[in-house]
């Protein structure tokens, strides 16, 4: 193992959906650790993705289009000659009532959150599989894949499928390629208010987690970096939960004391 297993010098990392939110933080974290980063998204970032004097190369791409995925892979190989890490981060879906949402909406959600990561993984496979050190594919999953997600049926189902895909590819493509998913919990991002309301609402939602707060993208990016590094060399096919301990069981919320009743104070 190298002296600094988190030093990504000479490693090429592709991050999808990298212009904002979690994807941008992940791309920045790899830049900070000296990786060559290829970022892609449907629209160019308003500001370059950069850190410590290093800047990510950007390729405009809709990851639902196999030809555009192929263009990202080709550009990565043209620039650096290799692909060591793929982070399938692009995803998401607006809330929609399951009874009335259109089949076309469901198709788009599943295409973005499940089919696109599979297609991108297939596209990098020929490159990674011929490299002496293989490669790592990291799928950004969600707790929505393991619990009910009202108004997010297609999204939750797609994320559940992504965790299943992770296990399958790990067996099909190992040992040369490690495949992991990072199962993300509730985060405080620039769009948190769209889901949780004002600051009081964000605080209240955070109190439903074991750690008593929402996570932040930096904490997820650290886990992604770890998974891509030699420190995780015996990890593959796993879904790594990064969710602050998970949400409180609903029966506790139904009691008079709610969550605080089960969380001891400083004097305890």
């Amino acid at each position: 193992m190298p002296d600094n297993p988190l030093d990504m010098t000479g490693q090429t990392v592709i991050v999808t959906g990298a212009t904002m939110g979690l994807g941008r933080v992940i791309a920045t974290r790899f830049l900070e650790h000296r990786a060559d980063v290829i970022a892609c998204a449907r629209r160019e970032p308003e500001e370059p993705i950069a850190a410590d004097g290093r800047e990510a190369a950007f390729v405009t791409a809709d990851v639902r289009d196999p030809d555009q995925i192929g263009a990202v892979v080709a550009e990565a190989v043209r620039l650096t000659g290799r692909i060591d890490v793929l982070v399938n981060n692009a995803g998401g879906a607006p809330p929609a009532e399951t009874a009335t949402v259109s089949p076309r909406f469901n198709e788009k959600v599943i295409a973005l959150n499940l089919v696109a990561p599979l297609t991108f993984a297939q596209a990098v496979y020929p490159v990674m599989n011929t490299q002496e050190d293989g490669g790592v594919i990291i799928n950004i999953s969600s707790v929505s894949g393991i619990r009910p997600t009202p108004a997010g049926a297609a999204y939750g189902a797609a994320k559940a499928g992504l965790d299943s895909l992770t296990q399958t590819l790990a067996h099909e493509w190992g040992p040369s390629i490690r495949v992991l998913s990072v199962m993300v919990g509730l985060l405080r991002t620039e769009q948190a208010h769209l889901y949780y309301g004002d600051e009081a609402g964000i605080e209240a939602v955070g109190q439903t987690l074991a750690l008593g707060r929402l996570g932040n993208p930096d904490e997820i990016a650290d886990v992604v970096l770890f998974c891509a590094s030699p420190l995780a060399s015996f990890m593959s096919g796993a879904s790594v939960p990064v969710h602050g301990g998970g949400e409180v069981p609903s029966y506790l919320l139904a009691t008079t004391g709610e969550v605080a009743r089960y969380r001891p104070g400083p004097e305890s």
Side-chain angles (χ1 to χ4, degrees), residues 58-135:
F58 181 80
V59 183
T60 303
D62 184 337
V63 295
R64 294 170 297 187
D65 184 332
D67 291 336
Q68 294 185 46
I69 288 175
V72 177
V73 172
E75 181 65 2
V77 173
R78 185 189 73 80
L79 290 173
T80 69
R82 58 188 299 112
I83 299 172
D84 298 280
V85 181
L86 167 65
V87 182
N88 277 315
N89 167 76
E97 293 293 332
T98 306
T100 55
V101 71
S102 71
R104 180 62 178 152
F105 176 90
N106 291 333
E107 289 172 5
K108 288 183 176 180
V109 170
I110 293 170
L112 176 61
N113 291 280
L114 177 57
V115 179
L118 170 57
T119 305
F120 223 127
Q122 290 175 305
V124 301
Y125 172 82
V127 180
M128 289 185 174
N129 196 49
T130 56
Q131 294 173 165
E132 182 178 354
D133 296 332

Side-chain angles (χ1 to χ4, degrees), residues 163 237 268:
D163 288 325
S268 298

Side-chain angles (χ1 to χ4, degrees), residues 176-196:
S176 62
I177 299 174
R178 294 192 295 113
V179 188
L180 293 161
S181 70
V182 173
M183 186 186 297
V184 178
L186 306 181
L187 296 185
R188 178 189 286 269
T189 68
E190 62 263 38
Q191 295 185 325
H193 66 281
L194 298 177
Y195 300 94
Y196 312 130

Side-chain angles (χ1 to χ4, degrees), residues 124-163:
V124 301
Y125 172 82
V127 180
M128 289 185 174
N129 196 49
T130 56
Q131 294 173 165
E132 182 178 354
D133 296 332
V136 183
I137 297 171
I138 300 171
N139 297 316
I140 302 301
S141 182
S142 168
V143 293
S144 293
I146 59 170
R147 55 118 160 100
T149 306
Y155 177 76
K159 291 302 188 181
L162 190 59
D163 288 325

